[in-house]
Every structure is written in C-alpha cells, then in structure tokens.
Amino acid sequence: MVSFKKPDLDSFQERIHIATLFVTFCFLLLITRLVWLQLVSHGKYALLAENNRIALVPAPANRGLLIDRNGIVIGRNYSALTLDVNAAELKGNVDELIDELSQIVLISPRDRRNFKRSFEDSRKMGTFPLRSMLTEAETARFMANRYRFPGVEIRARSFREYPYNELASHLIGYIGRVSQRDKEKMQAEIENSKADDPDALQTSFLPGIQYVGKIGLEQSYENVLRGVPGYDQVEITAGGKPVRTLSSSPSVPGKNVVLSVDIKLQYLVEQLYGNFRGAFVAIEPETGDILAFVSKPNFNPNDFVEGIDSVTWKELNDSPQKPLYNRPLKGIYPPGSTYKPFMALAALETKKRTPSQTISDPGYFDFGNHTFRDDKKGGHGIVDMQKSIVESCDTYYYLLARDMGVNMMHDFMKPFGFGQITGIDLQGESKGILPSTEWKKNTFKKPEQQKWYEGETISLGIGQGYNAFTILQLAHGMANLANNGIVMKPHLVKAIEDPFTRNRTLTTPKESYRIDLVPENIEVIKKAMVEVNNSGTSASVFKGTGYQVGGKTGTAQVFSLNSKEYKHGSTAEFLRDHALYIAFAPAEKPTIVIAMVVENAGFGAQYAAPIARKALDFYLEGKWPKEIPEWKRAP
Amino acid sequence: MEKSAINKAKKIFLSIFSGLDRQLGLILLGLAGIGFITFLSASQNTPVRFEDELRNLALSFAVMWIVSRVPPKWLETTAVWIYGVGLALLIAVAIFGLIKKGARRWLNIGFVIQPSELMKIAMPLMLAWYFQKREGIQKSWDYGVAAIILGIPVLLIARQPDLGTALLVFAAGMYVIILAGLPWKWILPFVGLGAFGIILIIIFGSTICAQDVVWPLVHNYQKHRVCTLLDPSSDPLGKGFHTIQSMIAIGSGGFFGKGWFQGTQAHLEFIPEKHTDFVFAVFSEEFGLLGNLVMLALFFALIKRGLAISASAPNLFTRLLGASVTLIFFTYAFVNIGMVSGLLPVVGVPLPFISYGGTALVTLGFGAGILMSIHRHRRLVQS
C-alpha cells in the first residue's frame, strides 16, 4: 500500500508550477506554429489565398476572316444566342437536365450528342453550348424558366461560318472545339516558343481558347487567325460565385488571312468537275500564288464546326469517293505524258538530244525481252523533239529514258520539285516518289528488290513506272518551267490583314532558288507545248482562244495492263485511266499555270483539257461558260 | 444635488463591479473585445445577428457576476447534486436522446439541452468535492474512486459519440486528479507512452493512413480525421479543405495582417464556421502574427492569473476547482488554436470568450465566475 502525505499547500504549489511550465510549453508550440505559418511560409500562403479568390473568366477573341484575293470573304463569324451550360455549377445528372430543358427549347439528339462529347472531352471544365441559334420564342420561354436551371444561361456567341459551304473546303479546312490534346500541344508550343518568333502562340491564356483550326488553312494559320483571348479577373467566393471584377484584359481579335486564291476561279473549276473526282491546281508562276486548289468531291466544313454528327461523319468516311481526302495535297498519281515536256527539257539540258535530232518510231520499243508499246499503232514515223511532244510519242521517250538513265532523270527533275515537299502552307503534304537507284535501295528491304533493273528505267520516260507525284508538285513543276527556272514556293495565303486598319502585310515567300537553264531550251519546250494546242492532242479543245496557251495532255494508267489492250468502257470505274493535263498561258508571259487530274475519266485531251480551257477563258478573258450557274456572292 | 446623484450612480456602478477581480476582469474584457471586433468582420454577410452576440456577451457577464457572488461553500455543497443530475441526464440521453447527424447528444425536456456541456463544470466540482472530503485521509484507492467518477460520464459522452467533449470532460477531471496529488510514477509512463505514440504517428503517418490499414479501437472517421491532419491534401474537398483553407488564411495574414474587414479568405467564404470554431483564422488573417501574439499574451495572462488565484485559495476544494477551471480555459484555447492552425485534429472546441455561441459563453462565464468567487471569498474564509 502506498502511503500519502497530507496534500499540503507546498505540494499543490509545486504542481501549479509544473502546470505553468506545461502551459508555457504549449503556448510556445502555438507561437512556433504561427511564426511558421505567418512569417516563414507567408509568401506561399499569400499566393494560395490570391489564387483562391481570383478566377479568370475568359473572353474569346474574334477569329480572323478568310478573304480571297479579290476581297470575297470565305470564312467569317456570326453572332447567335446560345444555351450554355456551365459545368462547374451543374448539379445532378446531365441527361435529366437536358430532358428537362428539352421541354422548353428544341434539343435534337445531335445537340445532345455533341454536348455530351465536348463535355466529356474537356473533363467537365468550362462552359459548353448545348443549343445554338435560339429563336426569339425559345429565348423568352427559357428566360421565364431560368430559375429552374442553375448553371444554364443564354449567351451571345460568335460562330464560325463558311458561307459557300462545300466550296474550297479542302483548302479552307475547318475549326472545331479545342480538345485536351490540342491544349497539351499548345502548352508545349508556348513553353518551346522563342519570344521573338512572330508565329509563336501569342498567349498563354489557354482557357480562353475554345476553338482551333483542325485542318486546312484554319489549321496552318491558326496562330494568326485566333488572336489573343482576353479575360476578366473576377473575385469569387469559395462556391465560385462572382463578387466583383478586379480588372479585365480585353481580347485582341485575330488577323484576317488574305488568300492568293481566286475563289471565283475555284468555284468555276469545282463546278466543271461535276461528278468527277480529281484535283486541280492553278498557280501564278511569277509569284507562286496558288489561284485555285481543287479537290473533288468536297465536304461541307460547316458540319464540323460544332462537332460533326456520327451519321454524316460515317457517310463521309465510308464513301468510296473519299470526299475528305485532300487530293492535290496528298493524292499521288503517275504524271503520264505530262512528264514529257520535262523529259524533253532534261534531254536538251543534259545534251542527250538536240531539238532537231530524230528517231524512227515503229510503234514499239524492245528492251530485253519486253516490248514497250506506243499508243499509236504503227508508230509516229520520224519524230523530232517538237513532234514527240505535240503527238505525245512514247517511243521517243523510251529511248531518251534509256539514254539518260534513272539517276540523271532524278537529278534533273529534283529541283523542279518532283517527289519533293513543295512547302505549301498546308499540313500533311505527300512527298510522292521521284525514283533513283538510291531511292530504291532505301525503300525496299530485300537485296533483290533494292537492285535497280534497267527495264524499270524505260517507262519512267513517259511518266509511268515508279513515278508518283502530287498534282501540286506537277503544277509547281509547270510553274517553274513557265517561270524560266525561277522557283517560287507555292502558297495559298499572300497577306495578313489587320482587322482594324486594314493594313496588309505580305507573306508571299521570296524566290526560293533558280534552276540553271538555257533560255533557248526552255523556248523549244514552250513552243512545242503551244503547238500541242494548235495542232496536237488537245488542238480541238483550244480552238479559238484569244490567247496563246501551251499544254500537254496525259493519261495515266491506274494499273499495269501487262501489254493488254485498254478498253475504257469495259474497265471497272476505279481501274480506268486518269486524265491529266498541264498548261500555261498566255504563252508569251504566263500569268497562270495549271496541273490537273480527272480520276478514272480516260484520255486527258477528252476529259481534262476542256476543263482547263474553260478555267483559262474565265481567268484570262472573264468568259463564263453557259452551262455553269453564275457565281453568287453569299449574303 | 446633481453631484450627489452622480455620486450615487457611481456608487451603484462600482458596487456592481466590487469583488470582481480587476486583473481577471480586464483580461476578459480584452478577450471579449477581440472577440467582438472579429465577430463584426466574420459575421458580415452571414445570417448571425449582431444583437445575439451582444446578448450572449451580456448573458455570460451576468452568469459570471452571479457566480462570483456565490460563496465557494455553496458550490461545495451542491457539487454532488449537480454531478448527479448531470449523470442522470447523460443516462437519459443514452436511452431517450435525440439523434441529429448520427449522434445521440441531446435531450428534449420542453427545450433541447446538451447534458455533456453541464458535465464540463460538474466534473471538476465533483472531483474537487471528493478530494476535499478525503483531505488528510487520502488512500491510493481514492484515485480508483475518482477514476470511476470520471470514467462513467466520459464513456457515456464518448458513446454518443462526441469524442471532443469527452476528451474535454476527461481533461477537466484529470486536472483535478493530478493536482490532488496523483503520484508522478503513475503519470509519467502515460505521458511517455503518449509522446511515443505521437512520434510514431508522425513518422509512420503515410503507412498507417493507407486505405486498407484498419486501426484498432477507433472509428474509421476518427482515423480519417487524424490522417487528414497529417496530410490535409489527402482530402482537399472534405475535412482537409477546412484545415487547408484556415491555414491559408492564417499564413496569408503575415506579420501585420490584411487589416480589419480585409480578409479575403474569410469574406469570400473559404473559412468554415468562421464566427464559431474557426474564428481564430479570421482574426489571424486580418490582424496577423502581431494580433495573435497579443491574443496569446491575454490568454497566458488569464491562465497565470487563474493559477495565482487558485494557489492562494483557502482550502483544497477551491484550489483544485480554481486550477482545474483555469486549465480548462487553457485547454480550450490550445486545442482550438492548434486545430485551426493545423496542429491538432479538427474537434468542435470553441475559442474561449472569442467564438460566437451562447452555450460556450455561458459555461465559460460560469468558470470565470468561480475564479472570481474564489478570489472574493479567500479572506473571508481565511480569517
């Protein structure tokens, strides 16, 4: 048993002292904690408090316009009332909310799908349009019921619109809601950009960016068109309720992009193609301005802006016509006979031929145990250089190809841009194939495939074999020839316009380089090409023009016939020959060159050249074909 | 004539305050002043009424004044009754109590009361009475009896469940027991064990707070509360949100504070319970470290004064009661500031004389009244 002293005052006082010590210790602990929070970590917490109370409310910038070379607006904005849902204030089930809203305003299944997709894509952050272009009656009905829908509001929004719908869709492209991936990409771009880079992303305020260009010029000129989103600094409560605006930073509208394209010419050509598939590129050789950039069939870029519905998307994607495929940029075709003028120029420049040197054409050329046929039975007889172009004599070029060899052809054609990236201001350009022994070695895996066979050289002379170029490259090559070897980078945009001052800044690229050519040699080729339209394969098409025009038809085989006769009518549509045509006009001082293909149409002279004739008639003389509806400016 | 009227009024006025300990009175006035100033800022844009705060302060003062007039002898004789009624009510709560938010804490006897509040005063009264009775003839089993007196109500409160109040009642009782002479060799092992436990929790916090680790003896939400304290960011939108936001408020106040009515954390509703349990965060944000040091100095002075009064008290009952009441003030202040500044888990403990709330102010006024009564009656008994 423990015994206890009588608890006297001394013992009590001793314990009071200990209690005082304990209390003092605890208070020192608190003071240490407060010093830690309020002195040592003050900066960190001050910042946190500031971040807490300030929200940045984005003010999207007006997107710049797309304007053609003559001032016609082909991409613009309009304002409309939209039903917006603020994800942060949304409570409960999204579907139930939409069900309830749909009793007040019309919400199509498509609206619902689009909303839910963008809502989920953006991880439920931000404000999303549920229904755009509300009618007056709908607006009134919603305003009367708005108390039932916290987080849902009506706002005026700016929408992108392509007033001519399908017209020039492949070059314009379209914009779409910014995705998480877009944002990550932009973030990386901001971090890597240099301060002095004028093309760098102009802002770090990503939340204000709601739409970005997805393809076409909308994509490649995104940084110019977008502008700088502004924002209001708003003080908010813990619940996200705005209290007052502290400051605001206005948005800077995007700049207008002035195209080098003549949209009327573009429209005409698209109409002339009718139901044919194909690609058509027209370039002003002296500047590299692209005047028309046609890919048929088209699609309607307006369908994509607010998110395309799955039915339309499936239709576009599954169509064997491949309407989403940018043919002039990505489609590669054998150039066929349109390659012959370039081959002839190569012959002159490499001194393998003189203009007057002739061959005798029996209608075929035997090489090893293979016979290369000419398209004219019995042959063209005695053929010099001009005749070889005018009558499109294959045998002349079989021999020429054999004499030059694959690498000499490659080295001559490369500076013209064949099988090279032209550097056009669109993304996703195909490189095509300009064959050489080295190309073959690098392309194939097995050693027996890597070897170049002499027989493979022969058909290269008539633009077949491994040759595969884009129509853009063909047009670029034509422009370089028409421009006497001065190479201009092809481009769709010629200037950037300030939306307020209307001041234009030229973006036209300067001369890229010169191909060293003998002027007389160029003249021989040009003269022969003019003769093609006077007495050659496309003479009937160009009868009665008020200008001199040089051209060359081409017919490209889609599959190898293996010496069998080609019968257009009995061949399956997608296996029929492509009709090609290249041209420059006026012949003395070309202001326009054309390269085009009409897919699976047949002979170039029959199907391609007439389109080129009408395009040139319009561009050079202002003549509009009767069968094509008049151009109407969009309201 | 006029002069005598003024003198008469002065006399009456002074007689109201006569017998109140002047030091204690000034300290309490200082704390109540701080409380009032902070209340004005914290209650802006909230439905809490200014008149209510004034009424509560007046009520607290009135209770203090009345109790200060009551001789300690009275308290001694009623101690057992108060304790008995408190215990009976706690048992009644366990059987008939109202359930709100999953806890059975309230009793409807025409109006709703929370008997555990009464226990905060009844417990030290009862234990002080018991040790007074055993003065001079104390045996070691007296601590066993004290443990039973302490344990039953604490277990009843803990079962409600109301761990915060249970701990405070337990602390109030333990202060009496320790001050009554509980041998050090019985105290120190527990202190050591507690310290060891805290160190273990801090070191192994992340391990023991893992999702699938089950703690013996405690509810899951209690484990959650401790774990949130160790790492507030683990639950940034729940319990951790409060701690994080009040720490931001305190930290962003800096040395001088943002100024009265200038606290953004408080005014933009980032601080929970900003006029009650978390009022310290509001004060800290607006008056900074400087304000906090003044406030802590006032609390320290309050405790020093309370202990001094107890040390010079005439008998064991008043000594134990006074010191225990004083240490309860300390416990409230320490636990509240510790919890708001993220040092202790979040438990519902008000900041004495500063938090808004009638019950707490009345209980605290009662405690202050006891101290004043002890001080007032020291000579009467001694002589």
Side-chain angles (χ1 to χ4, degrees):
Chain A
M1 195 88 189
V2 188
S3 70
F4 291 92
K5 289 192 291 189
K6 178 185 174 203
D8 55 21
L9 198 61
D10 285 346
S11 139
F12 179 76
Q13 237 138 26
E14 180 197 292
R15 298 220 164 190
I16 288 289
H17 282 310
I18 289 165
T20 312
L21 278 177
F22 175 66
V23 167
T24 311
F25 170 76
C26 286
F27 270 60
L28 285 176
L29 204 65
L30 288 183
I31 289 169
T32 310
R33 176 68 175 174
L34 294 174
V35 167
W36 171 258
L37 289 176
Q38 298 190 293
L39 289 185
V40 182
S41 320
H42 169 63
K44 171 186 148 194
Y45 286 112
L47 193 71
L48 284 172
E50 203 61 2
N51 288 345
N52 254 345
R53 89 185 165 104
I54 290 167
L56 299 180
V57 178
N62 243 348
R63 201 171 171 85
L65 305 175
L66 296 168
I67 304 171
D68 100 322
R69 70 187 288 125
N70 297 313
I72 298 167
V73 176
I74 56 172
R76 65 187 179 190
N77 311 303
Y78 69 99
S79 186
L81 291 181
T82 306
L83 203 58
D84 277 3
V85 179
N86 184 344
E89 285 179 51
L90 197 61
K91 288 177 187 83
N93 187 299
V94 181
D95 279 304
E96 279 168 26
L97 172 85
I98 299 175
D99 287 343
E100 259 186 78
L101 276 169
S102 62
Q103 291 165 5
I104 295 168
V105 297
L106 185 78
I107 294 168
S108 69
R110 183 185 161 179
D111 289 334
R112 184 188 294 250
R113 274 199 305 274
N114 289 343
F115 172 77
K116 285 184 74 174
R117 205 179 53 191
S118 53
F119 185 69
E120 271 141 33
D121 274 0
S122 307
R123 301 186 187 167
K124 304 179 182 172
M125 298 284 279
T127 304
F128 304 97
L130 174 57
R131 168 61 214 286
S132 45
M133 282 174 279
L134 292 173
T135 64
E136 262 179 57
E138 284 176 320
T139 309
R141 271 204 303 277
F142 176 77
M143 291 314 275
N145 285 285
R146 71 180 294 185
Y147 67 92
R148 286 168 55 198
F149 305 104
V152 183
E153 58 198 46
I154 287 184
R155 266 207 256 173
R157 260 177 189 275
S158 178
F159 289 92
R160 194 62 158 177
E161 181 190 43
Y162 306 105
Y164 300 103
N165 296 310
E166 284 85 1
L167 178 59
S169 53
H170 287 95
L171 77 94
I172 294 174
Y174 49 80
I175 63 166
R177 267 204 162 261
V178 71
S179 69
Q180 198 59 39
R181 246 180 57 209
D182 291 329
K183 288 210 168 170
E184 279 156 22
K185 218 179 93 199
M186 285 190 278
Q187 191 65 53
E189 217 178 298
I190 290 167
E191 278 154 22
N192 296 331
S193 69
K194 295 187 194 92
D196 57 343
D197 180 1
D199 274 348
L201 206 57
Q202 297 170 52
T203 174
S204 57
F205 190 59
L206 291 178
I209 299 168
Q210 293 174 329
Y211 292 88
V212 292
K214 299 286 187 180
I215 62 164
L217 291 177
E218 290 276 31
Q219 179 190 38
S220 52
Y221 286 86
E222 170 64 23
N223 292 351
V224 175
L225 289 164
R226 183 199 295 139
V228 183
Y231 53 83
D232 289 345
Q233 275 201 320
V234 178
E235 192 173 80
I236 52 156
T237 67
K241 229 170 40 209
V243 179
R244 62 194 161 129
T245 302
L246 301 171
S247 73
S248 69
S249 151
S251 63
V252 180
K255 294 199 168 73
N256 299 335
V257 164
V258 181
L259 276 62
S260 53
V261 171
D262 181 333
I263 205 69
K264 279 194 206 172
L265 177 65
Q266 175 93 11
Y267 167 78
L268 174 65
V269 174
E270 289 189 9
Q271 294 293 319
L272 288 168
Y273 265 77
N275 289 328
F276 278 114
R277 295 179 304 281
F280 179 106
V281 176
I283 298 178
E284 187 176 72
E286 213 178 305
T287 57
D289 279 7
I290 293 179
L291 301 168
F293 192 83
V294 173
S295 181
K296 285 283 280 186
N298 287 10
F299 59 90
N300 189 341
N302 288 309
D303 289 342
F304 287 84
V305 174
E306 290 299 315
I308 192 163
D309 69 292
S310 58
V311 178
T312 315
W313 172 245
K314 205 171 142 44
E315 226 168 73
L316 286 171
N317 239 346
D318 294 353
S319 165
Q321 312 267 349
K322 293 197 165 72
L324 295 176
Y325 191 52
N326 191 331
R327 286 174 162 81
L329 188 71
K330 298 181 182 191
I332 53 173
Y333 306 85
S337 300
T338 61
Y339 206 41
K340 286 173 183 165
F342 298 96
M343 284 297 298
L345 184 61
L348 294 174
E349 288 289 327
T350 56
K351 302 203 165 61
K352 290 285 176 193
R353 295 286 186 276
T354 62
S356 54
Q357 219 170 348
T358 59
I359 60 144
S360 173
D361 171 23
Y364 60 88
F365 170 63
D366 283 325
F367 187 85
N369 46 15
H370 188 84
T371 300
F372 293 88
R373 288 174 191 282
D374 205 317
D375 62 341
K376 189 173 178 184
K377 268 190 190 154
H380 295 270
I382 302 298
V383 179
D384 68 357
M385 181 169 281
Q386 172 154 328
K387 190 176 173 189
S388 78
I389 293 174
V390 174
E391 292 188 12
S392 202
C393 170
D394 288 346
T395 309
Y396 186 92
Y397 291 97
Y398 292 143
L399 292 168
L400 177 57
R402 182 201 60 191
D403 292 352
M404 286 182 78
V406 58
N407 288 334
M408 190 183 274
M409 282 187 264
H410 169 270
D411 293 347
F412 180 81
M413 294 300 174
K414 191 179 168 186
F416 278 84
F418 291 108
Q420 316 298 319
I421 296 291
T422 65
I424 189 181
D425 41 359
L426 284 182
Q427 291 180 29
E429 193 184 349
S430 286
K431 196 165 177 249
I433 298 162
L434 179 65
S436 66
T437 51
E438 206 188 324
W439 164 81
K440 208 178 176 202
K441 211 166 161 186
N442 294 334
T443 306
F444 293 100
K445 281 198 190 108
K446 292 180 193 159
E448 65 266 28
Q449 289 173 320
Q450 288 177 332
K451 186 178 181 293
W452 184 269
Y453 298 96
E454 281 298 304
E456 293 174 324
T457 308
I458 309 306
S459 52
L460 295 180
I462 59 158
Q464 297 281 353
Y466 289 115
N467 284 323
F469 310 133
T470 64
I471 296 304
L472 173 64
Q473 283 167 1
L474 199 54
H476 181 51
M478 183 69 252
N480 294 337
L481 197 157
N483 205 23
N484 302 323
I486 301 170
V487 178
M488 304 302 297
K489 193 157 126 184
H491 53 268
L492 289 159
V493 169
K494 58 189 284 169
I496 303 298
E497 184 184 79
D498 187 287
F500 299 118
T501 62
R502 298 269 157 178
N503 281 341
R504 287 185 176 188
T505 322
L506 284 183
T507 56
T508 322
K510 295 208 172 62
E511 173 185 327
S512 298
Y513 52 89
R514 271 165 201 256
I515 309 166
D516 198 15
L517 299 171
V518 179
E520 290 76 28
N521 291 344
I522 302 172
E523 277 317 302
V524 170
I525 304 303
K526 285 186 178 172
K527 195 169 153 257
M529 287 180 77
V530 170
E531 202 49 38
V532 169
N533 291 331
N534 285 337
S535 61
T537 48
S538 49
S540 59
V541 175
F542 282 92
K543 213 179 277 167
T545 51
Y547 48 88
Q548 285 277 309
V549 49
K552 181 72 196 80
T553 55
T555 304
Q557 289 174 1
V558 173
F559 75 115
S560 176
L561 287 168
N562 290 329
S563 313
K564 267 180 253 150
E565 195 90 0
Y566 171 79
K567 284 203 180 67
H568 185 73
S570 60
T571 309
E573 191 196 340
F574 281 93
L575 297 176
R576 290 176 190 167
D577 288 350
H578 294 324
L580 290 116
Y581 192 73
I582 58 171
F584 62 94
E588 320 74 65
K589 195 182 187 308
T591 55
I592 179 170
V593 304
I594 287 169
M596 62 183 292
V597 63
V598 185
E599 283 183 15
N600 311 117
F603 293 112
Q606 197 180 341
Y607 294 93
I611 295 177
R613 160 86 200 252
K614 283 166 186 155
L616 290 173
D617 274 357
F618 167 71
Y619 189 73
L620 296 172
E621 298 186 315
K623 284 188 197 154
W624 194 267
K626 283 190 282 304
E627 70 274 20
I628 303 299
E630 275 293 328
W631 160 263
K632 274 200 208 84
R633 226 181 161 117
Chain B
M1 281 296 275
E2 262 185 31
K3 212 171 187 182
S4 67
I6 291 168
N7 275 337
K8 203 174 171 186
K10 202 172 165 186
K11 235 179 189 170
I12 294 168
F13 185 75
L14 284 175
S15 73
I16 291 172
F17 292 98
S18 72
L20 295 183
D21 179 46
R22 189 172 297 171
Q23 275 191 42
L24 208 53
L26 286 174
I27 292 165
L28 292 179
L29 217 58
L31 286 172
I34 286 176
F36 191 69
I37 286 170
T38 315
F39 170 83
L40 289 179
S41 177
S43 64
Q44 203 195 22
N45 306 326
T46 60
V48 184
R49 290 191 311 154
F50 169 73
E51 294 87 343
D52 291 344
E53 171 73 356
L54 278 182
R55 190 202 60 207
N56 289 339
L57 283 172
L59 196 65
S60 176
F61 177 82
V63 168
M64 181 184 81
W65 187 80
I66 292 164
V67 175
S68 73
R69 310 248 138 197
V70 173
K73 200 71 200 158
W74 272 38
L75 289 171
E76 206 179 321
T77 51
T78 52
V80 183
W81 294 104
I82 294 175
Y83 178 82
V85 169
L87 192 59
L89 289 174
L90 280 180
I91 292 166
V93 165
I95 301 167
F96 317 108
L98 299 174
I99 298 177
K100 286 190 217 165
K101 298 179 195 166
R104 193 189 283 271
R105 293 178 193 170
W106 298 269
L107 203 60
N108 193 343
I109 50 163
F111 53 94
V112 176
I113 58 163
Q114 189 178 341
S116 54
E117 274 299 314
L118 179 64
M119 233 352 132
K120 287 179 186 167
I121 294 291
M123 182 59 74
L125 271 176
M126 177 67 193
L127 284 169
W129 172 85
Y130 179 74
F131 283 109
Q132 171 73 46
K133 278 274 162 276
R134 304 294 299 164
E135 194 181 10
I137 51 167
Q138 218 178 62
K139 295 282 185 297
S140 68
W141 55 262
D142 283 324
Y143 293 102
V145 174
I148 291 165
I149 293 170
L150 177 61
I152 292 170
V154 166
L155 283 177
L156 283 171
I157 297 168
R159 265 199 57 210
Q160 288 178 347
D162 186 351
L163 208 62
T165 310
L167 280 171
L168 285 172
V169 172
F170 178 75
M174 277 313 289
Y175 290 140
V176 179
I177 294 173
I178 290 168
L179 290 167
L182 184 67
W184 290 117
K185 59 180 177 184
W186 294 8
I187 301 169
L188 290 176
F190 286 98
V191 174
L193 210 64
F196 184 65
I198 288 168
I199 290 166
L200 276 188
I201 286 177
I202 289 168
I203 293 173
F204 296 105
S206 52
T207 320
I208 55 175
C209 284
Q211 199 83 61
D212 45 349
V213 177
V214 178
W215 291 10
L217 302 175
V218 295
H219 284 282
N220 219 21
Y221 79 90
Q222 287 160 345
K223 169 197 167 189
H224 186 61
R225 208 174 273 191
V226 175
C227 290
T228 308
L229 176 77
L230 292 172
D231 179 16
S233 59
S234 67
D235 184 15
L237 297 174
K239 279 271 178 278
F241 178 80
H242 295 170
T243 311
I244 290 168
Q245 294 302 339
S246 65
M247 275 162 63
I248 291 173
I250 297 169
S252 66
F255 187 76
F256 291 106
K258 294 178 187 169
W260 197 25
F261 278 92
Q262 303 299 311
T264 57
Q265 284 288 103
H267 288 280
L268 299 172
E269 293 155 34
F270 286 96
I271 299 176
E273 313 273 336
K274 62 180 170 168
H275 47 269
T276 58
D277 289 356
F278 279 76
V279 72
F280 179 76
V282 178
F283 178 77
S284 264
E285 189 184 14
E286 299 192 345
F287 297 96
L289 185 60
L290 201 62
N292 285 337
L293 291 176
V294 170
M295 183 196 276
L296 286 173
L298 282 171
F299 275 120
F300 195 71
L302 174 72
I303 292 152
K304 283 287 281 184
R305 183 65 195 152
L307 291 177
I309 289 171
S310 310
S312 60
N315 62 0
L316 186 60
F317 173 75
T318 46
R319 272 180 229 153
L320 291 177
L321 183 61
S324 170
V325 164
T326 307
L327 289 175
I328 290 172
F329 289 170
F330 156 72
T331 310
Y332 271 53
F334 178 71
V335 171
N336 180 280
I337 295 174
M339 124 192 144
V340 175
S341 61
L343 212 54
L344 296 173
V346 175
V347 283
V349 175
L351 190 58
F353 306 105
I354 292 176
S355 286
Y356 171 88
T359 317
L361 272 174
V362 168
T363 312
L364 290 161
F366 199 101
I370 288 175
L371 284 179
M372 292 204 173
S373 162
I374 292 169
H375 179 67
R376 182 184 162 88
H377 294 94
R378 70 192 185 282
R379 280 187 214 95
L380 297 173
V381 180
Q382 258 172 352
S383 59

